[in-house]
Amino acid sequence: MANLRVGLIGLGMMGRHHARVIREVEGIDLVAVADAYGDPHGVARGLPVLGGVEELIAAGLDMAVAAVPTGMHEEVGMALAESGVHTLVEKPIAASVPAGQRLVEAFAAKGLVGAVGHIERFNPALQSLRKRIADGELGEVYQIATRRQGPFPARIADVGVVKDLGTHDIDLTAWLAQSHFESIFAQTTTRSGRPHEDMMAATGKLKNGIITNHLVNWLSPMKERMTIVTGERGAFVADTLTADLTFYENGTVATEWDSIGAFRGVSEGNMTRLAIAKPEPLRTELEAFRDAVLGLRQNVVTMAEGQEILVVAEAVLESSRTGESVRLIAQ
């Protein structure tokens, strides 16, 4: 079988990584690249740098990756859908909920694979954690807390920290818990002088009763990517920068109230740093996209899922504006 022909539009910071990994993945060939602003990182490697999506489509593609700014996702995605090209769009799916919905409908109407690049689902620490939660290693899950902090990335100009970084945590939280957000309350602030928010603190509740907490900002001098899942048997801590997963076991699991009604609590038990394989998440994501296009398995973040994440992100922004908790429409 001939390799699938892949086009890449957007050759910025994320696009250069896509170009590298596409060339490493078996069964696909990078045949065309496009960016109206040229190729600042030199990823074309002999391919002509095309000016836009129509020229990219004219190269004859089976699938495409769109790593353009968020405000261009709808325009580029709709053109690719209309031309029958399976497409992975970097997260978030679009700049607004209506735009995201139009993309969902366009790819569904054509029977195409439409995926969104929520790469944290492919982080090996989180993949291992999700399986362990599903297997009952933690018992009942009580809370999922995330911290995603670091300096401002020069690559981002058209959205704030909620849609750029916060969508990672919204998605991975619901995915780990295998549930949906029921409600969200959030505060945001803008301290950098840019037009969009650069700091967020949010708390939520999932439909299965798990409570959530999320700290996200572009104002921290240190970079942190932590996910902490606490349950009746202890806590898992995933560092997605290093793909490390650690289990902190309860020394005691309290199951009863004592005679005077005081909770016995827990004590510190063993701490185990788990040994897991660590393939590159972007490679795993692109392999999953390839397999979905080939009809082998469906393990991508679908556009419908990406749209649901964007709906929650918009609820975060709404809550920060109104000062009220936002209840999400039943999924």
Side-chain angles (χ1 to χ4, degrees):
M1 182 182 298
N3 285 358
L4 296 171
R5 294 171 59 84
V6 184
L8 170 65
I9 182 166
L11 304 180
M13 293 296 289
M14 196 65 203
R16 67 172 179 170
H17 293 301
H18 276 290
R20 171 180 58 82
V21 177
I22 289 168
R23 289 185 169 109
E24 295 173 356
V25 172
E26 293 182 5
I28 61 177
D29 291 328
L30 183 63
V31 299
V33 298
D35 194 311
Y37 296 97
D39 183 15
H41 303 292
V43 302
R45 286 169 43 180
L47 292 172
V49 180
L50 306 174
V53 67
E54 296 299 339
E55 293 177 64
L56 192 78
I57 291 166
L61 306 177
D62 299 305
M63 51 194 279
V65 173
V68 294
T70 305
M72 296 176 63
H73 284 189
E74 181 184 11
E75 174 190 348
V76 170
M78 293 295 281
L80 289 162
E82 182 62 30
S83 298
V85 180
H86 304 287
T87 302
L88 185 149
V89 178
E90 267 302 332
K91 59 84 201 147
I93 183 174
S96 69
V97 168
Q101 188 58 37
R102 287 190 285 270
L103 285 172
V104 171
E105 293 171 357
F107 279 86
K110 290 281 190 174
L112 297 168
V113 175
V116 185
H118 284 280
I119 196 169
E120 289 286 41
R121 286 203 198 182
F122 301 92
N123 188 289
L126 294 181
Q127 291 198 328
S128 177
L129 176 52
R130 186 175 192 257
K131 184 178 186 304
R132 292 171 188 275
I133 292 171
D135 289 345
E137 292 186 23
L138 202 54
E140 183 183 356
V141 177
Y142 301 150
Q143 181 188 54
I144 300 176
T146 66
R147 300 195 306 269
R148 186 174 298 269
Q149 307 178 93
F152 182 80
R155 64 187 174 81
I156 301 299
D158 58 346
V159 294
V161 76
V162 172
K163 289 183 179 178
D164 182 64
L165 286 189
T167 48
H168 279 307
D169 293 322
I170 291 166
D171 178 56
L172 74 84
T173 295
W175 178 72
L176 285 173
Q178 301 190 48
S179 185
H180 303 278
F181 275 84
E182 179 179 272
S183 62
I184 195 85
F185 175 78
Q187 301 281 358
T188 63
T189 189
T190 305
R191 300 290 182 175
S192 61
R194 298 178 180 90
H196 302 287
E197 81 289 343
D198 44 34
M199 179 173 279
M200 154 192 147
T203 184
K205 186 176 182 181
L206 304 182
K207 293 184 179 178
N208 62 4
I210 295 172
I211 59 174
T212 77
N213 190 67
H214 312 287
L215 296 177
V216 185
N217 75 65
W218 277 328
L219 300 175
S220 173
M222 88 300 191
K223 193 170 184 178
E224 183 181 42
R225 302 285 186 269
M226 303 297 293
T227 299
I228 304 167
V229 183
T230 305
E232 63 177 318
R233 295 178 183 165
F236 279 106
V237 178
D239 183 336
T240 55
L241 279 177
T242 59
D244 288 330
L245 181 62
T246 305
F247 180 50
Y248 293 81
E249 184 180 3
N250 289 348
T252 332
V253 178
T255 58
E256 298 179 356
W257 297 86
D258 67 16
S259 59
I260 60 171
F263 185 55
R264 295 180 188 276
V266 298
S267 61
E268 293 183 9
N270 294 327
M271 180 186 75
T272 306
R273 185 165 176 255
L274 301 160
I276 56 176
K278 297 182 180 181
E280 182 179 358
L282 185 58
R283 184 186 182 101
T284 306
E285 180 180 58
L286 288 171
E287 287 173 342
F289 180 38
R290 172 203 63 195
D291 291 350
V293 170
L294 291 172
L296 300 178
R297 60 190 178 111
Q298 294 295 320
N299 193 32
V300 295
V301 182
T302 67
M303 286 198 168
E305 290 175 301
Q307 176 70 351
E308 182 178 342
I309 298 157
L310 182 58
V311 167
V312 179
E314 291 280 14
V316 167
L317 294 171
E318 179 186 347
S319 176
S320 72
R321 287 192 300 267
T322 65
E324 303 287 339
S325 176
V326 176
R327 190 170 185 86
L328 280 303
I329 298 172
Q331 297 291 334

